[in-house]
Amino acid sequence: MPGFVAFKRRWSTGSDDFVLPGAILFIIHFVLFLVLTIYTSISSELHLWASQDVSNLKNVNANETDIEKAKCAQWIQASCLGYIALLVIGLVLEAILVAFSMQGTVVNAEPRKPVEYIIYCRIALGVTEVIFSIVVASYLKNMWEDCTVFSRFLYMLGAMVGITLAIMLIVILVAICTYDSTGRSFYHVKRATQKESLSNADFNKLRADFDQSLQNSWVKSLRRFCCCTRDNQNTQVALEEVSHLLRKFFKDVDVVPSDLLAGLILLRHKQCCVEKEQVEANDSEVEEFMCGKPIKRDTVYVDFTNPREREHLSDLIYYCHYAVASYGSLFFLVDNPGLGLCKLMNQCMCGGSCCGEQSSQFQKTNVNKDPCNCQTSAVQQSLHRKISNTDIVYASWKNDIYIQPFYVSVDHNKKAVVVTIRGSLSEIDALTDMVAQSTPIQVTGNQDGTWKGHKGIVQAAVHMKKQLMERMILSQAFGRDLNKQTKNYRLVIVGHSLGAGVASILAILLRPVYHDLVCYAFAPPGGLLSLSAVQASKDYIYTAVFGKDLIMRTGIAQLEKMKKDILHLLCHTKTPKYRIILGNCLRSAEDRHSLLTNDQDNGELVEQISFKCLSDTAQDGVLEQEDLFPPGRIIHFVYRKEYKKRLWGRSAAPGKHFALEANNTKDFQEILVSHNMITHHWPQKLLKAMEKVLQAAQLSDTVKRYSQSATLPSHTPLRSNDNEKTNLLKNSQAQPDILMGTGICEEHSRAIVDENWRYGTDQEMKARAPLAKMDSFPESSSSVGSPISPSSVKTLSLVKTVETIAEVNEYNNNTNNNKDVDEGLGHFSPETSSGEFKPSFNMDAVEAKEKLEKRPSADSNQGSSLINRFENYIDVVLQDSQETPNDTKILRSKSLPASQARLAQDNEMVKRAQFEPNLIPKPPRTHSLSKRPTALVIKKRDYASAPPSRTTTPCTAGDENTYESEDTFVSIE
């Protein structure tokens, strides 16, 4: 930036792009120079025969063999010296070329002016090398048989000839690739702007010629890109529209491909730095970023504990299998790398019409443009792996401008007729994507014309609706099996990528006819519908997107914003382009972010160039049209990064996944540059993310049902602390961090919502808190699908866990079903709560006497000590939550005296804990006395850096029954 000018024309490369090619050539030529010099200098035989005079040998009547050896040695030595001389000159020119190409900045090309003349000299040297190599090759052909004595030198010269010609061939190919057909016109327009004597009429004529040549250049490039497309009227119109769009987008922007690459790298680092600054700011509401999405206290998470929301997620996963299967044989082979090809070929050979009679599985399927039924067979096999009881009624694989492949199937499980549309998979699909102007949607309900959409996708949806109606495809589907009442089935439209955009607009077109239809759009294009159409489609269009999906954020408005950001960064950076590109590959993340730093001594030059760059794009390059947005209700699936230690350092990997409610007009208005922005668009990645969120929701529901099952004691208070619990429950909504001030409570809350239902290893969990990891989640809030943060973790779950554990001690007093203390020992009922033994009905007197003698003594308090300590701790937590922040002492709690009834209850809990190990705290039952742990140490968290609103009195303990706030850890013996 700007483009390199040579031979009075502009080329699609910059004068600072010769650093890497020049360095590579320098290294190659230096290696050849060393090899050739060393090999020729150490050969004494070659020097001996080359020093001989051929005329003297003839005078002394030497034999013909010696004369031929002398001639060959002299010729080989001369050829080697010629190559060495050419290599030395080439090394000097390449070193100078690299040195000058490294000067200046991306936009400041003044220090690189000598590069043009160095290129002229290097081209002249290259032509000389080619001519010299041709001469050497001709001599080699004539003297190969006569110089067999020096065969190794002949092979070396042959290698030099081949390497030289190969390098020149590569240089020619690079020159062809960087050739700009509008370079001559651009050069004249640029020279005209520097001439003050040129009239306005002449300048306007030059500018018009340049615009026309630029338009024709884009048309030719698009025709080469879509070389396999039929040349019809629709294709010609689409090519003209796209070329006009590209010409306006890049108008007066003198950039080359390497500038775009450097700009994307700088933009990525800028976005990372902005995210880091927002998280670390003291007054910022952003707690973290997940896949570029800022997580705040008011971030809305999808509550999948709600049965309706979970059913909606299950439907998204279910119909996403249809979208994956729509890509046919390509994705089927990707998902089945082993025997997929064999299965597919077997079905194609047996079922294809080109191989004979069709098999029974295709007799009821109307297939278009699939002669061997390979695509349809791949769809059927992909669906049958995940979905059963599905019939494909119609499949069309015709692919042209505004014509997308699709198939119609009848799903008897969901009682739905499913229309599935394939996404972009060919160059003609990309051309449909690029016809991105807005156009009105002709449908009932759009009388004012405010419903607008992506022009290319609207044309494709209109063509598909016409095809469905004219061929009565939907009528065939609804009348597939009247015995199964298919006429009452629901219409569902599914698509991914471009297919999702076509499906969304097709749903709008068919909504007046099929009032109960539903559309599932997976990662549709970002610039699809106008705001009024988006608001009207939220009731029946559901959109799912994953991570930093590029297509979901791609529209004309987003591309314009990215272009301005890139040009702004390129105009203001003082870092050379080669350092930006190479530094992104070789440096660490912290060093790469330093590429954005600007020195202040650049002065007036940077300001002038920056003003010129921004003024050009602001005035001439902006495309004026209505902003378009993604369709329907959007669920954004994101994940938190987990950093793992590797041999080469830390590496980030996807961790726990979450589902967020996204805003159509705000959340996807900026393209997030990342190495995952392409892979996050793949339907397999989106499907996997949705499945992980559903698994977490099912696990949460399982824990909830188990915690509320009949195996747990009924909710009857143990002691008179109902007021304290009630106040804590009331304050949990206003003060969600009420229990986050204590190390034990916070770590337990984190353990509840952790993906693996644990926080750290088993040893760490035992050392942190004796609280049970099982929990009952409230209906109003979901711990699945929300990150672990003080604002999102609900303390209501902890309070219910406290109630569950505390009420275990009164289990025998609150249940109507008598339980055995030991197997066959007897029953403890409310009448015998003092611990008196009562024989069961099915044991005789002798057996009852033996059981009575083996009964634990009243002095045994193996389980009472730990339970009493835990009860004291619960009292401390409940009392501490109501204290003021100025309190430095934690209220003491009274321990209940041990009794015979307490001993029996403890024995009952120990027995139940053997089958429900995570239910209640219990003393070790498998350790010997010598190995049994004597204390549980709970480390205290650091609250110095926490905000004032989150800081409370730490939960600490002193001796057996005393809790001191100044201790640094809690020891529970």
Side-chain angles (χ1 to χ4, degrees):
M1 183 180 183
F4 178 64
V5 177
F7 301 104
K8 293 185 178 181
R9 69 178 312 113
R10 177 187 178 274
W11 299 78
S12 297
T13 185
S15 56
D16 51 355
D17 292 335
F18 295 101
V19 176
L20 186 59
I24 293 175
L25 286 177
F26 181 86
I27 294 173
I28 294 175
H29 289 158
F30 184 73
V31 172
L32 294 178
F33 171 76
L34 291 179
V35 172
L36 195 60
T37 303
I38 295 174
Y39 202 68
T40 54
S41 61
I42 63 175
S43 177
S44 58
E45 184 179 5
L46 180 64
H47 289 290
L48 178 62
W49 287 102
S51 60
Q52 300 292 331
D53 190 358
V54 178
S55 59
N56 293 334
L57 292 177
K58 291 181 179 180
N59 294 333
V60 298
N61 297 325
N63 54 28
E64 294 295 332
T65 304
D66 295 339
I67 296 175
E68 291 297 333
K69 285 184 179 180
K71 290 181 179 180
C72 290
Q74 293 176 3
W75 174 79
I76 291 174
Q77 191 178 40
S79 300
C80 292
L81 292 176
Y83 269 119
I84 290 174
L86 292 174
L87 289 174
V88 169
I89 300 174
L91 288 173
V92 173
L93 290 176
E94 289 157 3
I96 298 175
L97 175 64
V98 171
F100 276 99
S101 184
M102 295 170 64
Q103 303 299 316
T105 61
V106 178
V107 296
N108 183 16
E110 291 296 326
R112 299 192 294 268
K113 278 188 175 182
V115 171
E116 177 183 356
Y117 306 102
I118 299 173
I119 291 294
Y120 294 154
C121 297
R122 189 61 187 86
I123 291 175
L125 181 62
V127 173
T128 304
E129 290 177 350
V130 171
I131 296 174
F132 184 78
S133 298
I134 293 174
V135 173
V136 172
S138 64
Y139 272 94
L140 281 175
K141 180 180 179 181
N142 297 329
M143 303 181 63
W144 191 270
E145 296 180 356
D146 298 335
C147 301
T148 55
V149 179
F150 304 103
S151 58
R152 61 182 183 277
F153 291 98
L154 298 180
Y155 285 120
M156 184 180 62
L157 290 175
M160 288 294 301
V161 171
I163 293 173
T164 303
L165 296 178
I167 291 175
M168 292 306 301
L169 180 62
I170 294 174
V171 171
I172 293 173
L173 292 177
V174 171
I176 293 174
C177 294
T178 57
Y179 177 79
D180 186 5
S181 59
T182 62
R184 183 75 67 180
S185 300
F186 185 90
Y187 174 77
H188 291 308
V189 172
K190 189 173 182 179
R191 290 290 299 272
T193 57
Q194 301 174 358
K195 295 180 179 180
E196 299 180 356
S197 59
L198 189 66
S199 62
N200 292 333
D202 295 337
F203 178 78
N204 292 334
K205 185 176 182 304
L206 290 175
R207 186 57 186 263
D209 294 340
F210 171 69
D211 291 341
Q212 185 62 36
S213 62
L214 187 61
Q215 176 86 9
N216 296 335
S217 175
W218 280 114
V219 171
K220 292 179 181 178
S221 300
L222 292 173
R223 287 188 181 278
R224 288 194 296 267
F225 178 70
C226 304
C227 57
C228 301
T229 306
R230 292 188 306 172
D231 192 6
N232 51 30
Q233 183 178 1
N234 289 335
T235 304
Q236 293 178 359
V237 173
L239 290 174
E240 291 292 336
E241 291 181 356
V242 174
S243 61
H244 178 71
L245 182 67
L246 293 175
R247 181 183 65 82
K248 291 186 64 178
F249 186 77
F250 291 103
K251 186 177 182 181
D252 289 340
V253 180
D254 188 8
V255 295
V256 295
S258 60
D259 296 331
L260 297 179
L261 177 60
L264 290 175
I265 293 173
L266 292 175
L267 182 59
R268 179 189 179 188
H269 298 326
K270 178 184 177 182
Q271 292 173 351
C272 293
C273 292
V274 170
E275 292 179 3
K276 185 177 180 181
E277 291 175 357
Q278 291 185 10
V279 172
E280 295 178 353
N282 295 329
D283 56 346
S284 176
E285 297 181 356
V286 179
E287 298 180 355
E288 64 175 328
F289 278 85
M290 290 191 292
C291 297
K293 170 69 176 179
I295 305 300
K296 304 179 181 179
R297 293 181 179 271
D298 58 347
T299 300
V300 180
Y301 295 86
V302 182
D303 182 15
F304 289 119
T305 58
N306 187 346
R308 184 177 180 181
E309 292 292 346
R310 191 184 308 166
E311 182 181 0
H312 174 57
L313 177 60
S314 301
D315 290 341
L316 281 173
I317 296 174
Y318 186 86
Y319 290 109
C320 189
H321 292 293
Y322 281 92
V324 175
S326 66
Y327 287 92
S329 58
L330 177 62
F331 277 27
F332 179 76
L333 295 178
V334 172
D335 295 336
N336 302 273
L339 300 178
L341 182 61
C342 298
K343 294 179 181 179
L344 187 61
M345 293 302 296
N346 184 29
Q347 294 292 335
C348 293
M349 293 173 62
C350 296
S353 59
C354 63
C355 302
E357 186 178 356
Q358 289 186 350
S359 61
S360 59
Q361 63 175 335
F362 298 110
Q363 291 178 359
K364 296 183 179 181
T365 303
N366 189 0
V367 182
N368 184 22
K369 296 296 182 180
D370 188 17
C372 287
N373 286 331
C374 291
Q375 301 294 337
T376 308
S377 174
V379 170
Q380 285 186 341
Q381 295 190 51
S382 299
L383 290 178
H384 290 168
R385 291 180 57 196
K386 302 293 183 180
I387 303 172
S388 59
N389 203 10
T390 300
D391 301 331
I392 297 180
V393 178
Y394 182 87
S396 174
W397 302 103
K398 183 180 180 181
N399 193 198
D400 203 347
I401 185 71
Y402 307 143
I403 300 176
Q404 283 300 114
F406 71 99
Y407 67 93
V408 180
S409 57
V410 179
D411 192 326
H412 300 289
N413 295 331
K414 293 290 186 178
K415 297 186 181 301
V417 173
V418 185
V419 179
T420 310
I421 307 171
R422 197 198 73 184
S424 301
L425 200 62
S426 63
E427 69 279 358
I428 196 64
D429 296 334
L431 186 61
T432 303
D433 286 321
M434 288 187 288
V435 185
Q437 296 89 341
S438 60
T439 185
I441 302 176
Q442 303 298 331
V443 64
T444 304
N446 187 25
Q447 289 79 6
D448 54 354
T450 58
W451 291 10
K452 296 183 179 181
H454 185 288
K455 184 175 182 179
I457 299 178
V458 170
Q459 294 288 344
V462 170
H463 181 273
M464 185 165 294
K465 178 187 175 184
K466 181 179 179 181
Q467 190 175 3
L468 291 174
M469 296 302 178
E470 289 182 353
R471 299 189 180 185
M472 303 181 67
I473 299 174
L474 294 180
S475 300
Q476 298 176 29
F478 284 106
R480 181 73 170 184
D481 192 347
L482 297 180
N483 295 328
K484 295 183 178 180
Q485 299 296 322
T486 55
K487 63 179 181 179
N488 298 325
Y489 281 8
R490 190 179 191 180
L491 180 61
V492 178
I493 307 177
V494 180
H496 173 264
S497 187
L498 174 60
V502 177
S504 301
I505 298 181
L506 180 63
I508 295 176
L509 297 176
L510 295 178
R511 178 72 173 179
V513 181
Y514 302 92
H515 302 286
D516 59 343
L517 70 80
V518 178
C519 175
Y520 294 100
F522 301 99
L528 185 62
L529 296 176
S530 61
L531 183 59
S532 58
V534 168
Q535 298 297 334
S537 65
K538 283 193 173 184
D539 294 336
Y540 55 91
I541 297 180
Y542 302 98
T543 301
V545 61
F546 174 55
K548 298 183 178 181
D549 190 349
L550 172 64
I551 304 302
M552 190 69 177
R553 295 174 171 84
T554 301
I556 292 181
Q558 293 90 332
L559 291 175
E560 280 285 351
K561 183 179 184 304
M562 185 181 70
K563 182 184 72 172
K564 291 181 180 180
D565 293 340
I566 288 177
L567 291 177
H568 184 272
L569 290 171
L570 291 177
C571 290
H572 284 80
T573 183
K574 286 191 62 180
T575 307
K577 189 192 302 182
Y578 77 95
R579 287 184 56 194
I580 296 174
I581 298 175
L582 295 181
N584 183 67
C585 303
L586 303 178
R587 294 184 176 186
S588 61
E590 292 75 10
D591 295 336
R592 291 197 298 264
H593 294 337
S594 64
L595 299 175
L596 297 174
T597 58
N598 299 323
D599 297 332
Q600 300 298 328
D601 57 355
N602 205 16
E604 184 179 356
L605 179 61
V606 170
E607 294 181 1
Q608 292 177 356
I609 296 176
S610 302
F611 178 79
K612 181 179 183 301
C613 292
L614 296 178
S615 62
D616 289 342
T617 57
Q619 295 176 2
D620 299 326
V622 177
L623 299 173
E624 297 180 357
Q625 74 161 19
E626 184 178 354
D627 292 339
L628 303 178
F629 307 98
R633 179 201 174 190
I634 303 176
I635 299 180
H636 190 190
F637 295 88
V638 297
Y639 60 86
R640 178 185 289 118
K641 288 184 178 181
E642 291 183 352
Y643 293 93
K644 299 180 180 180
K645 291 184 178 181
R646 305 290 186 186
L647 295 177
W648 55 88
R650 293 197 313 166
S651 63
K656 183 174 175 61
H657 288 66
F658 307 95
L660 311 177
E661 289 281 358
N663 190 305
N664 301 64
T665 60
K666 297 180 180 179
D667 292 343
F668 303 98
Q669 296 305 302
E670 181 182 10
I671 296 177
L672 301 179
V673 183
S674 172
H675 61 283
N676 291 322
M677 61 184 183
I678 301 297
T679 58
H680 283 178
H681 183 66
W682 294 351
Q684 295 93 334
K685 294 284 186 179
L686 175 59
L687 178 60
K688 187 176 180 181
M690 292 190 295
E691 289 176 346
K692 286 186 177 181
V693 173
L694 180 61
Q695 290 174 2
Q698 291 174 347
L699 183 59
S700 172
D701 185 65
T702 302
V703 173
K704 177 181 176 181
R705 292 198 307 267
Y706 181 77
S707 62
Q708 296 177 351
S709 63
T711 60
L712 295 179
S714 59
H715 291 278
T716 303
L718 176 63
R719 293 180 297 275
S720 60
N721 54 4
D722 291 341
N723 294 332
E724 297 171 339
K725 295 180 182 179
T726 303
N727 295 335
L728 186 61
L729 292 175
K730 291 180 179 179
N731 295 335
S732 62
Q733 296 180 356
Q735 299 178 6
D737 304 330
I738 189 170
L739 292 182
M740 299 302 293
T742 60
I744 295 178
C745 305
E746 180 173 358
E747 297 300 332
H748 174 62
S749 301
R750 290 177 178 268
I752 292 174
V753 297
D754 190 81
E755 185 176 10
N756 297 323
W757 304 101
R758 61 199 306 174
Y759 186 74
T761 61
D762 293 338
Q763 292 78 7
E764 293 174 348
M765 278 297 299
K766 293 177 181 178
R768 290 176 190 270
L771 297 180
K773 290 184 286 184
M774 193 162 297
D775 193 16
S776 175
F777 294 92
E779 289 289 341
S780 61
S781 62
S782 172
S783 62
V784 178
S786 61
I788 302 171
S789 62
S791 61
S792 59
V793 176
K794 303 299 182 181
T795 59
L796 184 58
S797 303
L798 178 60
V799 174
K800 297 182 72 175
T801 303
V802 169
E803 293 177 345
T804 302
I805 297 175
E807 291 159 6
V808 171
N809 295 320
E810 290 296 323
Y811 170 74
N812 296 311
N813 295 331
N814 300 321
T815 182
N816 295 325
N817 298 325
N818 295 328
K819 300 289 183 176
D820 294 341
V821 177
D822 261 327
E823 183 179 1
L825 179 62
H827 300 282
F828 280 90
S829 62
E831 292 77 13
T832 61
S833 59
S834 60
E836 181 181 356
F837 172 72
K838 181 179 179 179
S840 60
F841 296 104
N842 56 355
M843 68 171 60
D844 52 12
V846 177
E847 184 179 1
K849 183 178 180 180
E850 293 176 357
K851 296 289 184 179
L852 183 60
E853 292 175 355
K854 296 179 180 180
R855 180 178 52 155
S857 62
D859 298 331
S860 176
N861 58 354
Q862 180 180 2
S864 300
S865 177
L866 181 60
I867 301 303
N868 292 335
R869 297 317 181 266
F870 180 73
E871 292 171 355
N872 296 337
Y873 165 70
I874 295 301
D875 291 339
V876 171
V877 172
L878 295 177
Q879 294 172 5
D880 181 51
S881 63
Q882 297 179 351
E883 288 185 39
T884 59
N886 298 328
D887 295 336
T888 58
K889 297 288 186 179
I890 299 180
L891 298 180
R892 299 167 180 254
S893 62
K894 298 180 180 180
S895 61
L896 296 179
S899 63
Q900 188 175 2
R902 176 63 61 191
L903 173 62
Q905 294 168 5
D906 292 346
N907 290 336
E908 172 67 9
M909 283 187 291
V910 169
K911 179 184 175 182
R912 293 187 62 236
Q914 294 178 359
F915 302 96
E916 301 174 16
N918 291 330
L919 179 63
I920 58 174
K922 56 187 178 297
R925 64 181 184 277
T926 58
H927 297 283
S928 62
L929 294 177
S930 61
K931 297 181 179 180
R932 186 174 62 186
T934 58
L936 296 176
V937 179
I938 303 172
K939 296 182 179 180
K940 176 184 174 184
R941 294 177 60 86
D942 183 15
Y943 299 96
S945 59
S949 60
R950 305 183 189 179
T951 304
T952 59
T953 305
C955 185
T956 57
D959 53 4
E960 180 175 344
N961 290 324
T962 304
Y963 292 82
E964 298 292 338
S965 61
E966 53 266 283
D967 290 342
T968 58
F969 63 89
V970 179
S971 178
I972 302 177
E973 295 183 355

